[in-house]
Amino acid sequence: MKAFTGIQNFFDQKVEAVNQYLQGLSVRERVMVVFTAIFLTVVIIGSALWKMHSLADQQQTRLNELKDLTVWMQSNAATMKPANDLDLTPADKIQRTAQQQGLAVS
């Protein structure tokens, strides 16, 4: 509770300092300072959101490429033969033949 009170007092002091600074300015300067502060806040938030959106879009593109690669690998796994067909067990041979014909063996 003491820390919260300290933080609240710190922010109150800063707000009071800003208010005193703004009171010392003319109306025109005050409007310009407030408008500039609002404009910069909107620009900073907008650029952060845009950056997050572009990074998410890049990750989605990467995910789609990896999915396509996985599908390609699964569809071509049957055509990739080992160096020697004698190394295959009968179950592997059945699985390969079924995949070549587009069947799924469970």
Side-chain angles (χ1 to χ4, degrees), residues 2-104:
K2 199 174 216 182
F4 178 72
T5 305
I7 293 172
Q8 186 176 6
N9 288 338
F10 174 76
F11 281 118
D12 288 342
Q13 290 172 356
K14 292 301 177 184
V15 169
E16 185 63 32
V18 169
N19 280 336
Q20 288 178 358
Y21 171 74
L22 288 176
Q23 293 300 323
L25 298 175
S26 68
V27 175
R28 179 178 174 212
E29 291 171 336
R30 194 177 311 146
V31 169
M32 287 174 32
V33 168
V34 170
F35 175 76
T36 304
I38 292 171
F39 177 77
L40 286 176
T41 304
V42 169
V43 166
I44 290 170
I45 291 172
S47 65
L49 290 174
W50 182 261
K51 183 69 173 173
M52 286 190 290
H53 171 72
S54 66
L55 290 174
D57 194 32
Q58 289 174 358
Q59 288 300 318
Q60 185 65 42
T61 303
R62 183 174 174 264
L63 175 69
N64 290 339
E65 289 173 357
L66 288 174
K67 282 182 179 179
D68 292 343
L69 179 62
T70 303
V71 168
W72 180 86
M73 286 179 158
Q74 288 174 344
S75 64
N76 289 321
T79 61
M80 296 178 195
K81 295 183 180 179
N84 189 358
D85 276 344
L86 298 176
D87 295 340
L88 293 176
T89 64
D92 291 336
K93 289 180 183 179
I94 292 170
Q95 180 72 26
R96 177 187 291 167
T97 305
Q99 284 179 342
Q100 285 174 345
Q101 295 176 2
L103 304 173

